[in-house]
Amino acid sequence: MKLILHIWRQKNAASAGRMVRYEAGDMNPDMSMLEALDVLNERLIEKGEEPVAFEHDCREGICGSCGFMINGVAHGPQRLTTTCQLTLRHFKDGDELYLEPWRAKAFPVLKDLMVDRGAFDRIIAAGGYISVSTGSAPDGNAIPVAKDNADRAMDAAACIGCGACVAACPNAAAALFTGAKITHLGLLPQGEPERHERALNMVAQWNIEGFGACTNLGECEAACPKGIRLEVIARMNHDYLAASCHRR
Amino acid sequence: MSTTAVAVATRKSLRFYDTTVGKKAVMAVSGVVLFGFVLAHMAGNLQIYEGPEKLNAYAKLLRAMPAALWGARLTLLLMVVLHIWSSVKLALLNKLEARPTGYVRHKSQTAGYAARTMYWSGPIILCFVIYHLMEFTLGVGGTPYQEGNVYANVVAGFKVLPVSAFYILSMILLGMHLSHGLSSLFRSLGFDHPRYTPVIKHLAIAIGTLIVIGNISIPISVLAGWVK
Ligand code: FES
């Protein structure tokens, strides 16, 4: 099949970028979006042109490295699917696709379709962990966890930190990501002791990084390849407000 | 997770009002109070269907308690200021700062028409409130005004077609504003539940619609000659 690809090309963080049109003929519909770019890049290299830079690692939808906008939708039109898992058969022969990097002040473009998501790492560093001494492993099942809480924590823990929520949000807010981490840790007994501090610090860091504010539109939920629910944002707000009241 | 981590920024704690979550909570709480006023105001207005004596007596009753009246007015004013302050701050962040370079192509995945129009339904409702106070409280709205005769003022005011049209438009926008705000505020204040949230969403739309119908029935009745 043949695709017309309009790809954002930008040499480096300092330079200005632009959309460039490529005709990618002879594509196998069973290839993933990233494999299509691999093929395109091989052809570009053969012609002596600069290949398109994009992030990837696992290519099986679990690491959170990949992702760009495909026709204005984060990770493309297929719900609950990362870019690496999106196959070309979801498009029609001759389709025009616009590939753009995530856009947010907190996610500066490094090159082409690659952005710097270090802001997410700093949000995690602000409180996305539990402070326990590691050493000897505790007994399994020593701390009982309610089934419902374990399930909800697990659902929130499915977040792979890809950044699609920020990219899809009209406000470039980091609410779904931050909420997922706060929910995943705070619902479990090991994360409970630092629940308030975590909410205060992670929300503060999200704001310091320059992400926008959540206006409850739900674009993030629709874009999330891991099906993280808006519920996690409510829990983050709850923890943050409770922590603000309790703070001494 | 990101492959391009750099040094961890020094963490300074932000005060409640400095954070987006804090401002959203301020917006939610002030919004609830203003919604309560909208509801009470509509209940009062609907007494127009019981005739001039009833409505004018109600208006007189409110004025007979100056302390309560001014207490309520000042509270509402404070809520309006807080609501506008928090929304302007967040709107500036969201619209101007958070995404300096936009997308060439962008497609919305959710329907949320009311949610998306909050930015302009809000300012139009503010203009409406100002004109509404000028017309019926201060008597400087350009329509006939008699001190103390609320009924006559309403009828005379709504006989002017552009005034009625502006009221009707503003009420539709208010209904849309509330249909998003009334459910959104629950999440802003930390509540979301798979069983109740869908119900809250429907209720918010129903309440928003009722407020539109209740309030626009008055100018329509005046224009149609049912209330004279
Ligand atoms: S490359 Fe790992 S999720 Fe796509």
Side-chain angles (χ1 to χ4, degrees), chain B residues 18-38:
Chain B
D18 290 331
T19 66
T20 50
V21 175
K23 287 198 193 84
K24 222 31 201 168
V26 170
M27 192 188 292
V29 172
S30 56
V32 171
V33 178
L34 293 172
F35 165 67
F37 168 73
V38 166

Side-chain angles (χ1 to χ4, degrees), chain B residues 163-182:
Chain B
V163 171
S164 277
F166 179 51
Y167 268 73
I168 292 170
L169 173 79
S170 304
M171 284 307 115
I172 292 171
L173 291 177
L174 178 64
M176 277 165 51
H177 198 87
L178 285 173
S179 67
H180 170 72
L182 283 178

Side-chain angles (χ1 to χ4, degrees), chain A residues 19 55 63 69 71-73 79 98 100-105 110 116-118 121-122 125-126 160-161 166-172 201 203-208 210-219 222 230-231 234 237-238 240-241 244 247, chain B residues 1-22 24-25 90 93-95 97-110 112 115-116 119 180 184-194 201:
Chain A
M19 297 299 281
E55 267 193 89
C63 75
M69 303 297 279
N71 281 352
V73 179
R79 290 230 166 176
Y98 285 75
E100 297 176 71
W102 296 161
R103 294 289 189 193
K105 182 179 157 207
L110 294 172
D116 179 356
R117 285 171 292 162
D121 291 338
R122 292 186 290 275
I160 52 176
V166 173
C169 176
N171 313 322
N201 288 338
V203 167
Q205 190 64 37
W206 146 20
N207 285 203
I208 289 166
F211 292 104
C214 175
T215 49
N216 294 320
L217 296 169
E219 291 288 342
L230 287 179
E231 226 178 302
N237 292 340
H238 172 277
Y240 181 82
L241 297 175
S244 301
R247 179 149 68 162
Chain B
M1 196 57 17
S2 160
T3 52
T4 46
V6 280
V8 172
T10 41
R11 203 184 322 153
K12 55 177 177 200
S13 201
L14 298 179
R15 281 168 310 160
F16 182 74
Y17 303 106
D18 290 331
T19 66
T20 50
V21 175
K24 222 31 201 168
L90 293 180
L93 170 69
N94 290 343
K95 293 284 147 195
E97 288 174 37
R99 178 168 292 135
T101 315
Y103 292 110
V104 175
R105 284 282 156 103
H106 191 253
K107 207 156 98 207
S108 161
Q109 300 277 91
T110 57
R116 230 166 284 278
Y119 288 120
H180 170 72
S184 167
L185 73 89
F186 281 88
R187 193 173 298 113
S188 297
L189 294 178
F191 182 83
D192 189 324
H193 190 282
K201 262 199 177 143

Side-chain angles (χ1 to χ4, degrees), chain A residues 17-128:
Chain A
R18 67 196 177 93
M19 297 299 281
V20 178
R21 184 175 187 276
Y22 297 94
E23 290 196 10
D26 209 10
M27 292 279 169
N28 183 336
D30 292 331
M31 287 196 301
S32 75
M33 198 66 227
L34 299 190
E35 284 163 338
L37 288 185
D38 290 337
V39 172
L40 177 75
N41 279 345
E42 275 172 23
R43 294 177 190 167
L44 288 177
I45 292 168
E46 267 171 26
K47 282 198 281 179
E49 288 178 35
E50 181 77 11
V52 178
F54 60 90
E55 267 193 89
H56 63 104
D57 188 13
C58 71
R59 297 208 176 195
E60 53 186 17
I62 55 171
C63 75
S65 295
C66 68
F68 39 79
M69 303 297 279
I70 304 170
N71 281 352
V73 179
H75 289 300
Q78 201 66 11
R79 290 230 166 176
L80 300 173
T81 306
T82 53
T83 305
C84 59
Q85 293 279 288
L86 176 70
T87 45
L88 298 190
R89 56 175 165 267
H90 295 297
F91 301 103
K92 289 196 300 293
D93 190 36
D95 268 0
E96 291 205 36
L97 303 184
Y98 285 75
L99 311 186
E100 297 176 71
W102 296 161
R103 294 289 189 193
K105 182 179 157 207
F107 284 170
V109 175
L110 294 172
K111 187 176 177 158
D112 300 337
L113 301 174
M114 272 177 91
V115 300
D116 179 356
R117 285 171 292 162
F120 268 11
D121 291 338
R122 292 186 290 275
I123 293 178
I124 292 291

